[in-house]
Protein backbone atom coordinates (compact mmCIF):
# COMPACT_ATOMS: atom_id res chain seq x y z
CA UNK A 1 0.00 0.00 0.00
CA UNK A 2 1.13 3.56 -0.67
CA UNK A 3 0.73 5.77 2.38
CA UNK A 4 0.92 9.57 2.24
CA UNK A 5 2.01 11.39 5.37
CA UNK A 6 2.07 15.16 5.88
CA UNK A 7 5.02 16.79 7.63
CA UNK A 8 3.69 19.70 9.68
CA UNK A 9 1.64 18.67 12.72
CA UNK A 10 1.77 15.01 11.66
CA UNK A 11 5.48 14.20 11.81
CA UNK A 12 6.70 17.55 13.16
CA UNK A 13 5.51 19.69 16.07
CA UNK A 14 4.80 22.74 13.87
CA UNK A 15 1.98 24.38 15.85
CA UNK A 16 3.63 23.69 19.18
CA UNK A 17 6.89 25.31 18.06
CA UNK A 18 5.11 28.19 16.31
CA UNK A 19 3.20 29.00 19.49
CA UNK A 20 6.42 28.83 21.54
CA UNK A 21 8.10 31.28 19.15
CA UNK A 22 5.09 33.62 19.17
CA UNK A 23 5.03 33.65 22.97
CA UNK A 24 8.75 34.39 23.04
CA UNK A 25 8.39 37.23 20.54
CA UNK A 26 5.35 38.61 22.34
CA UNK A 27 7.46 39.04 25.50
CA UNK A 28 9.85 41.19 23.47
CA UNK A 29 7.06 43.08 21.70
CA UNK A 30 4.44 43.88 24.36
CA UNK A 31 4.48 41.08 26.93
CA UNK A 32 0.68 40.77 26.93
CA UNK A 33 0.67 37.05 26.18
CA UNK A 34 -2.30 35.31 24.64
CA UNK A 35 -5.25 37.69 24.65
CA UNK A 36 -7.69 35.41 22.80
CA UNK A 37 -7.55 31.76 23.82
CA UNK A 38 -10.49 31.06 21.50
CA UNK A 39 -8.74 32.30 18.37
CA UNK A 40 -9.11 29.96 15.42
CA UNK A 41 -5.34 29.78 14.97
CA UNK A 42 -2.10 31.16 16.39
CA UNK A 43 -1.78 33.63 13.52
CA UNK A 44 -5.40 34.80 13.67
CA UNK A 45 -5.93 37.15 16.60
CA UNK A 46 -4.45 35.10 19.42
CA UNK A 47 -2.08 37.96 20.25
CA UNK A 48 -2.67 41.72 20.24
CA UNK A 49 -0.28 42.31 17.39
CA UNK A 50 -1.16 44.34 14.35
CA UNK A 51 -1.57 42.46 11.09
CA UNK A 52 1.71 43.94 9.90
CA UNK A 53 3.56 42.88 13.08
CA UNK A 54 2.26 39.33 12.79
CA UNK A 55 3.04 38.99 9.08
CA UNK A 56 6.49 40.46 9.51
CA UNK A 57 7.40 38.15 12.38
CA UNK A 58 6.02 35.09 10.59
CA UNK A 59 7.72 35.75 7.26
CA UNK A 60 11.04 36.72 8.87
CA UNK A 61 11.14 33.61 11.06
CA UNK A 62 9.15 30.77 9.50
CA UNK A 63 12.07 29.14 7.71
CA UNK A 64 14.22 29.17 10.85
CA UNK A 65 11.32 27.75 12.86
CA UNK A 66 10.58 25.02 10.31
CA UNK A 67 14.20 23.90 10.27
CA UNK A 68 14.22 23.52 14.06
CA UNK A 69 11.02 21.49 14.45
CA UNK A 70 11.06 18.31 16.51
CA UNK A 71 9.56 14.98 15.56
CA UNK A 72 6.26 14.24 17.29
CA UNK A 73 6.64 11.39 19.78
CA UNK A 74 6.02 8.06 18.10
CA UNK A 75 5.87 9.38 14.52
CA UNK A 76 9.23 7.96 13.46
CA UNK A 77 8.48 4.61 15.05
CA UNK A 78 5.10 4.32 13.29
CA UNK A 79 6.63 5.23 9.94
CA UNK A 80 9.39 2.65 10.49
CA UNK A 81 6.73 0.02 11.30
CA UNK A 82 4.73 0.88 8.20
CA UNK A 83 7.87 0.48 6.07
CA UNK A 84 8.78 -2.79 7.81
CA UNK A 85 5.27 -4.04 7.04
CA UNK A 86 5.96 -3.46 3.34
CA UNK A 87 4.21 -0.16 2.68
CA UNK A 88 5.56 2.64 0.51
CA UNK A 89 5.95 5.90 2.41
CA UNK A 90 5.16 9.14 0.60
CA UNK A 91 5.93 12.31 2.51
CA UNK A 92 3.60 15.05 1.32
CA UNK A 93 3.96 18.73 2.14
CA UNK A 94 2.36 21.99 1.11
CA UNK A 95 5.50 23.94 1.95
CA UNK A 96 5.90 25.03 -1.66
CA UNK A 97 3.69 28.05 -0.93
CA UNK A 98 6.22 30.87 -1.27
CA UNK A 99 7.15 31.03 2.42
CA UNK A 100 10.45 29.14 2.09
CA UNK A 101 13.51 29.75 -0.08
CA UNK A 102 13.89 26.05 -1.06
CA UNK A 103 11.08 24.04 0.54
CA UNK A 104 11.93 20.70 -1.08
CA UNK A 105 15.59 20.77 0.00
CA UNK A 106 14.74 22.12 3.45
CA UNK A 107 12.19 19.35 4.02
CA UNK A 108 14.52 16.68 2.65
CA UNK A 109 17.29 17.81 5.01
CA UNK A 110 14.89 17.88 7.98
CA UNK A 111 13.72 14.34 7.21
CA UNK A 112 17.33 13.13 6.87
CA UNK A 113 18.48 14.91 10.03
CA UNK A 114 15.62 13.30 11.96
CA UNK A 115 16.10 9.84 10.41
CA UNK A 116 12.59 9.77 8.96
CA UNK A 117 12.30 7.09 6.29
CA UNK A 118 10.42 7.79 3.07
CA UNK A 119 10.27 6.42 -0.47
CA UNK A 120 9.21 9.67 -2.09
CA UNK A 121 8.93 13.32 -1.07
CA UNK A 122 6.14 15.25 -2.72
Amino acid sequence: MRIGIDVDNVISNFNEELLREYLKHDKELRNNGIINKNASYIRNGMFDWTIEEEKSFYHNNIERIAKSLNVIDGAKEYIDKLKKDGHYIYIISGRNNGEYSNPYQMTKEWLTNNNIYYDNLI
Side-chain angles (χ1 to χ4, degrees), residues 22-44:
Y22 270 55
L23 287 166
K24 181 179 166 185
H25 183 65
D26 183 72
K27 285 185 180 186
E28 299 166 0
L29 192 62
R30 287 193 189 77
N31 201 24
N32 288 334
I34 296 172
I35 61 161
N36 182 4
K37 293 180 182 179
N38 296 320
S40 62
Y41 187 58
I42 298 163
R43 297 192 64 203
N44 297 335

PDB file of all heavy atoms in Angstrom, residues 22-44:
ATOM      1  N   TYR A  22       5.954  32.440  19.052  1.00  0.00           N
ATOM      2  CA  TYR A  22       5.085  33.619  19.168  1.00  0.00           C
ATOM      3  C   TYR A  22       5.065  34.134  20.601  1.00  0.00           C
ATOM      4  O   TYR A  22       5.102  35.343  20.836  1.00  0.00           O
ATOM      5  CB  TYR A  22       3.670  33.294  18.685  1.00  0.00           C
ATOM      6  CG  TYR A  22       3.475  33.543  17.209  1.00  0.00           C
ATOM      7  CD1 TYR A  22       4.302  32.945  16.260  1.00  0.00           C
ATOM      8  CD2 TYR A  22       2.467  34.378  16.759  1.00  0.00           C
ATOM      9  CE1 TYR A  22       4.126  33.178  14.915  1.00  0.00           C
ATOM     10  CE2 TYR A  22       2.279  34.614  15.413  1.00  0.00           C
ATOM     11  CZ  TYR A  22       3.112  34.007  14.493  1.00  0.00           C
ATOM     12  OH  TYR A  22       2.935  34.251  13.157  1.00  0.00           O
ATOM     13  N   LEU A  23       5.007  33.234  21.561  1.00  0.00           N
ATOM     14  CA  LEU A  23       5.027  33.652  22.971  1.00  0.00           C
ATOM     15  C   LEU A  23       6.344  34.345  23.314  1.00  0.00           C
ATOM     16  O   LEU A  23       6.358  35.363  24.011  1.00  0.00           O
ATOM     17  CB  LEU A  23       4.796  32.452  23.890  1.00  0.00           C
ATOM     18  CG  LEU A  23       3.375  31.919  23.925  1.00  0.00           C
ATOM     19  CD1 LEU A  23       3.333  30.539  24.574  1.00  0.00           C
ATOM     20  CD2 LEU A  23       2.450  32.892  24.652  1.00  0.00           C
ATOM     21  N   LYS A  24       7.433  33.797  22.810  1.00  0.00           N
ATOM     22  CA  LYS A  24       8.753  34.389  23.041  1.00  0.00           C
ATOM     23  C   LYS A  24       8.828  35.785  22.428  1.00  0.00           C
ATOM     24  O   LYS A  24       9.279  36.732  23.075  1.00  0.00           O
ATOM     25  CB  LYS A  24       9.820  33.470  22.434  1.00  0.00           C
ATOM     26  CG  LYS A  24      11.230  33.929  22.610  1.00  0.00           C
ATOM     27  CD  LYS A  24      12.175  32.895  21.985  1.00  0.00           C
ATOM     28  CE  LYS A  24      13.557  33.429  21.810  1.00  0.00           C
ATOM     29  NZ  LYS A  24      14.433  32.475  21.093  1.00  0.00           N
ATOM     30  N   HIS A  25       8.358  35.923  21.197  1.00  0.00           N
ATOM     31  CA  HIS A  25       8.392  37.230  20.535  1.00  0.00           C
ATOM     32  C   HIS A  25       7.442  38.214  21.210  1.00  0.00           C
ATOM     33  O   HIS A  25       7.757  39.399  21.330  1.00  0.00           O
ATOM     34  CB  HIS A  25       8.049  37.098  19.055  1.00  0.00           C
ATOM     35  CG  HIS A  25       8.127  38.388  18.308  1.00  0.00           C
ATOM     36  ND1 HIS A  25       9.312  39.067  18.128  1.00  0.00           N
ATOM     37  CD2 HIS A  25       7.165  39.148  17.731  1.00  0.00           C
ATOM     38  CE1 HIS A  25       9.082  40.176  17.458  1.00  0.00           C
ATOM     39  NE2 HIS A  25       7.780  40.257  17.208  1.00  0.00           N
ATOM     40  N   ASP A  26       6.303  37.727  21.681  1.00  0.00           N
ATOM     41  CA  ASP A  26       5.351  38.608  22.343  1.00  0.00           C
ATOM     42  C   ASP A  26       5.966  39.237  23.594  1.00  0.00           C
ATOM     43  O   ASP A  26       5.717  40.404  23.887  1.00  0.00           O
ATOM     44  CB  ASP A  26       4.078  37.855  22.724  1.00  0.00           C
ATOM     45  CG  ASP A  26       3.052  38.781  23.346  1.00  0.00           C
ATOM     46  OD1 ASP A  26       2.467  39.587  22.605  1.00  0.00           O
ATOM     47  OD2 ASP A  26       2.870  38.709  24.579  1.00  0.00           O
ATOM     48  N   LYS A  27       6.785  38.478  24.316  1.00  0.00           N
ATOM     49  CA  LYS A  27       7.461  39.038  25.496  1.00  0.00           C
ATOM     50  C   LYS A  27       8.355  40.205  25.114  1.00  0.00           C
ATOM     51  O   LYS A  27       8.467  41.175  25.853  1.00  0.00           O
ATOM     52  CB  LYS A  27       8.272  37.954  26.215  1.00  0.00           C
ATOM     53  CG  LYS A  27       7.418  37.008  27.005  1.00  0.00           C
ATOM     54  CD  LYS A  27       8.252  36.032  27.784  1.00  0.00           C
ATOM     55  CE  LYS A  27       7.308  35.106  28.558  1.00  0.00           C
ATOM     56  NZ  LYS A  27       8.016  34.219  29.436  1.00  0.00           N
ATOM     57  N   GLU A  28       8.984  40.111  23.952  1.00  0.00           N
ATOM     58  CA  GLU A  28       9.847  41.191  23.469  1.00  0.00           C
ATOM     59  C   GLU A  28       9.027  42.364  22.933  1.00  0.00           C
ATOM     60  O   GLU A  28       9.437  43.514  23.042  1.00  0.00           O
ATOM     61  CB  GLU A  28      10.762  40.667  22.360  1.00  0.00           C
ATOM     62  CG  GLU A  28      11.683  39.558  22.796  1.00  0.00           C
ATOM     63  CD  GLU A  28      12.333  38.835  21.624  1.00  0.00           C
ATOM     64  OE1 GLU A  28      12.076  39.197  20.451  1.00  0.00           O
ATOM     65  OE2 GLU A  28      13.103  37.894  21.875  1.00  0.00           O
ATOM     66  N   LEU A  29       7.862  42.063  22.369  1.00  0.00           N
ATOM     67  CA  LEU A  29       7.057  43.080  21.695  1.00  0.00           C
ATOM     68  C   LEU A  29       6.198  43.879  22.674  1.00  0.00           C
ATOM     69  O   LEU A  29       6.303  45.097  22.749  1.00  0.00           O
ATOM     70  CB  LEU A  29       6.166  42.395  20.652  1.00  0.00           C
ATOM     71  CG  LEU A  29       5.452  43.277  19.648  1.00  0.00           C
ATOM     72  CD1 LEU A  29       6.445  44.046  18.798  1.00  0.00           C
ATOM     73  CD2 LEU A  29       4.578  42.398  18.748  1.00  0.00           C
ATOM     74  N   ARG A  30       5.340  43.184  23.431  1.00  0.00           N
ATOM     75  CA  ARG A  30       4.438  43.878  24.365  1.00  0.00           C
ATOM     76  C   ARG A  30       4.298  43.173  25.711  1.00  0.00           C
ATOM     77  O   ARG A  30       3.835  43.753  26.662  1.00  0.00           O
ATOM     78  CB  ARG A  30       3.038  43.987  23.752  1.00  0.00           C
ATOM     79  CG  ARG A  30       2.947  44.990  22.649  1.00  0.00           C
ATOM     80  CD  ARG A  30       1.491  45.272  22.300  1.00  0.00           C
ATOM     81  NE  ARG A  30       1.439  46.076  21.102  1.00  0.00           N
ATOM     82  CZ  ARG A  30       1.624  45.625  19.877  1.00  0.00           C
ATOM     83  NH1 ARG A  30       1.854  44.346  19.690  1.00  0.00           N
ATOM     84  NH2 ARG A  30       1.579  46.434  18.846  1.00  0.00           N
ATOM     85  N   ASN A  31       4.598  41.901  25.719  1.00  0.00           N
ATOM     86  CA  ASN A  31       4.480  41.078  26.927  1.00  0.00           C
ATOM     87  C   ASN A  31       3.038  41.000  27.451  1.00  0.00           C
ATOM     88  O   ASN A  31       2.803  40.974  28.645  1.00  0.00           O
ATOM     89  CB  ASN A  31       5.426  41.557  28.024  1.00  0.00           C
ATOM     90  CG  ASN A  31       5.702  40.468  29.035  1.00  0.00           C
ATOM     91  OD1 ASN A  31       5.584  39.282  28.736  1.00  0.00           O
ATOM     92  ND2 ASN A  31       6.065  40.865  30.239  1.00  0.00           N
ATOM     93  N   ASN A  32       2.080  40.933  26.543  1.00  0.00           N
ATOM     94  CA  ASN A  32       0.677  40.766  26.928  1.00  0.00           C
ATOM     95  C   ASN A  32       0.232  39.316  26.886  1.00  0.00           C
ATOM     96  O   ASN A  32      -0.841  38.985  27.371  1.00  0.00           O
ATOM     97  CB  ASN A  32      -0.241  41.607  26.031  1.00  0.00           C
ATOM     98  CG  ASN A  32      -0.119  43.078  26.323  1.00  0.00           C
ATOM     99  OD1 ASN A  32       0.239  43.467  27.425  1.00  0.00           O
ATOM    100  ND2 ASN A  32      -0.392  43.910  25.331  1.00  0.00           N
ATOM    101  N   GLY A  33       1.025  38.455  26.258  1.00  0.00           N
ATOM    102  CA  GLY A  33       0.671  37.046  26.177  1.00  0.00           C
ATOM    103  C   GLY A  33      -0.533  36.822  25.283  1.00  0.00           C
ATOM    104  O   GLY A  33      -0.925  37.673  24.493  1.00  0.00           O
ATOM    105  N   ILE A  34      -1.127  35.662  25.434  1.00  0.00           N
ATOM    106  CA  ILE A  34      -2.303  35.310  24.643  1.00  0.00           C
ATOM    107  C   ILE A  34      -3.480  36.129  25.149  1.00  0.00           C
ATOM    108  O   ILE A  34      -3.824  36.073  26.326  1.00  0.00           O
ATOM    109  CB  ILE A  34      -2.602  33.801  24.743  1.00  0.00           C
ATOM    110  CG1 ILE A  34      -1.448  33.009  24.129  1.00  0.00           C
ATOM    111  CG2 ILE A  34      -3.932  33.468  24.074  1.00  0.00           C
ATOM    112  CD1 ILE A  34      -1.531  31.513  24.332  1.00  0.00           C
ATOM    113  N   ILE A  35      -4.097  36.871  24.254  1.00  0.00           N
ATOM    114  CA  ILE A  35      -5.248  37.685  24.649  1.00  0.00           C
ATOM    115  C   ILE A  35      -6.563  37.045  24.210  1.00  0.00           C
ATOM    116  O   ILE A  35      -7.620  37.430  24.672  1.00  0.00           O
ATOM    117  CB  ILE A  35      -5.167  39.121  24.091  1.00  0.00           C
ATOM    118  CG1 ILE A  35      -5.149  39.104  22.571  1.00  0.00           C
ATOM    119  CG2 ILE A  35      -3.949  39.851  24.656  1.00  0.00           C
ATOM    120  CD1 ILE A  35      -5.518  40.414  21.928  1.00  0.00           C
ATOM    121  N   ASN A  36      -6.494  36.081  23.292  1.00  0.00           N
ATOM    122  CA  ASN A  36      -7.694  35.413  22.797  1.00  0.00           C
ATOM    123  C   ASN A  36      -7.440  33.912  22.711  1.00  0.00           C
ATOM    124  O   ASN A  36      -6.973  33.413  21.691  1.00  0.00           O
ATOM    125  CB  ASN A  36      -8.094  35.976  21.437  1.00  0.00           C
ATOM    126  CG  ASN A  36      -9.368  35.352  20.906  1.00  0.00           C
ATOM    127  OD1 ASN A  36     -10.005  34.546  21.564  1.00  0.00           O
ATOM    128  ND2 ASN A  36      -9.738  35.728  19.689  1.00  0.00           N
ATOM    129  N   LYS A  37      -7.752  33.207  23.784  1.00  0.00           N
ATOM    130  CA  LYS A  37      -7.547  31.759  23.820  1.00  0.00           C
ATOM    131  C   LYS A  37      -8.484  31.018  22.870  1.00  0.00           C
ATOM    132  O   LYS A  37      -8.265  29.855  22.570  1.00  0.00           O
ATOM    133  CB  LYS A  37      -7.719  31.237  25.242  1.00  0.00           C
ATOM    134  CG  LYS A  37      -6.645  31.721  26.168  1.00  0.00           C
ATOM    135  CD  LYS A  37      -6.816  31.195  27.571  1.00  0.00           C
ATOM    136  CE  LYS A  37      -5.714  31.771  28.446  1.00  0.00           C
ATOM    137  NZ  LYS A  37      -5.798  31.358  29.823  1.00  0.00           N
ATOM    138  N   ASN A  38      -9.525  31.685  22.412  1.00  0.00           N
ATOM    139  CA  ASN A  38     -10.491  31.060  21.503  1.00  0.00           C
ATOM    140  C   ASN A  38     -10.224  31.391  20.045  1.00  0.00           C
ATOM    141  O   ASN A  38     -11.065  31.111  19.186  1.00  0.00           O
ATOM    142  CB  ASN A  38     -11.913  31.492  21.879  1.00  0.00           C
ATOM    143  CG  ASN A  38     -12.292  31.011  23.253  1.00  0.00           C
ATOM    144  OD1 ASN A  38     -11.967  29.897  23.641  1.00  0.00           O
ATOM    145  ND2 ASN A  38     -12.955  31.853  24.011  1.00  0.00           N
ATOM    146  N   ALA A  39      -9.076  31.985  19.755  1.00  0.00           N
ATOM    147  CA  ALA A  39      -8.738  32.303  18.368  1.00  0.00           C
ATOM    148  C   ALA A  39      -8.711  31.026  17.543  1.00  0.00           C
ATOM    149  O   ALA A  39      -8.349  29.952  18.042  1.00  0.00           O
ATOM    150  CB  ALA A  39      -7.381  33.009  18.306  1.00  0.00           C
ATOM    151  N   SER A  40      -9.067  31.142  16.288  1.00  0.00           N
ATOM    152  CA  SER A  40      -9.108  29.961  15.421  1.00  0.00           C
ATOM    153  C   SER A  40      -7.713  29.394  15.132  1.00  0.00           C
ATOM    154  O   SER A  40      -7.579  28.212  14.830  1.00  0.00           O
ATOM    155  CB  SER A  40      -9.807  30.295  14.108  1.00  0.00           C
ATOM    156  OG  SER A  40      -9.091  31.299  13.398  1.00  0.00           O
ATOM    157  N   TYR A  41      -6.695  30.234  15.250  1.00  0.00           N
ATOM    158  CA  TYR A  41      -5.340  29.782  14.969  1.00  0.00           C
ATOM    159  C   TYR A  41      -4.359  30.777  15.578  1.00  0.00           C
ATOM    160  O   TYR A  41      -4.694  31.936  15.814  1.00  0.00           O
ATOM    161  CB  TYR A  41      -5.118  29.657  13.450  1.00  0.00           C
ATOM    162  CG  TYR A  41      -3.793  29.046  13.067  1.00  0.00           C
ATOM    163  CD1 TYR A  41      -3.427  27.773  13.505  1.00  0.00           C
ATOM    164  CD2 TYR A  41      -2.898  29.740  12.270  1.00  0.00           C
ATOM    165  CE1 TYR A  41      -2.213  27.219  13.154  1.00  0.00           C
ATOM    166  CE2 TYR A  41      -1.682  29.184  11.902  1.00  0.00           C
ATOM    167  CZ  TYR A  41      -1.347  27.919  12.356  1.00  0.00           C
ATOM    168  OH  TYR A  41      -0.137  27.370  12.019  1.00  0.00           O
ATOM    169  N   ILE A  42      -3.156  30.342  15.787  1.00  0.00           N
ATOM    170  CA  ILE A  42      -2.102  31.157  16.395  1.00  0.00           C
ATOM    171  C   ILE A  42      -1.946  32.475  15.650  1.00  0.00           C
ATOM    172  O   ILE A  42      -1.796  33.528  16.263  1.00  0.00           O
ATOM    173  CB  ILE A  42      -0.764  30.379  16.395  1.00  0.00           C
ATOM    174  CG1 ILE A  42      -0.886  29.112  17.236  1.00  0.00           C
ATOM    175  CG2 ILE A  42       0.377  31.260  16.887  1.00  0.00           C
ATOM    176  CD1 ILE A  42       0.203  28.088  16.984  1.00  0.00           C
ATOM    177  N   ARG A  43      -2.008  32.438  14.346  1.00  0.00           N
ATOM    178  CA  ARG A  43      -1.777  33.628  13.524  1.00  0.00           C
ATOM    179  C   ARG A  43      -3.017  34.508  13.385  1.00  0.00           C
ATOM    180  O   ARG A  43      -2.948  35.574  12.793  1.00  0.00           O
ATOM    181  CB  ARG A  43      -1.315  33.208  12.124  1.00  0.00           C
ATOM    182  CG  ARG A  43       0.023  32.473  12.150  1.00  0.00           C
ATOM    183  CD  ARG A  43       0.586  32.323  10.773  1.00  0.00           C
ATOM    184  NE  ARG A  43       0.875  33.634  10.222  1.00  0.00           N
ATOM    185  CZ  ARG A  43       0.962  33.867   8.927  1.00  0.00           C
ATOM    186  NH1 ARG A  43       0.786  32.917   8.049  1.00  0.00           N
ATOM    187  NH2 ARG A  43       1.236  35.092   8.497  1.00  0.00           N
ATOM    188  N   ASN A  44      -4.147  34.080  13.888  1.00  0.00           N
ATOM    189  CA  ASN A  44      -5.397  34.800  13.675  1.00  0.00           C
ATOM    190  C   ASN A  44      -5.971  35.375  14.962  1.00  0.00           C
ATOM    191  O   ASN A  44      -6.955  34.879  15.501  1.00  0.00           O
ATOM    192  CB  ASN A  44      -6.444  33.886  13.024  1.00  0.00           C
ATOM    193  CG  ASN A  44      -6.047  33.406  11.657  1.00  0.00           C
ATOM    194  OD1 ASN A  44      -5.263  34.045  10.981  1.00  0.00           O
ATOM    195  ND2 ASN A  44      -6.565  32.276  11.246  1.00  0.00           N
TER     196      ASN A  44
END
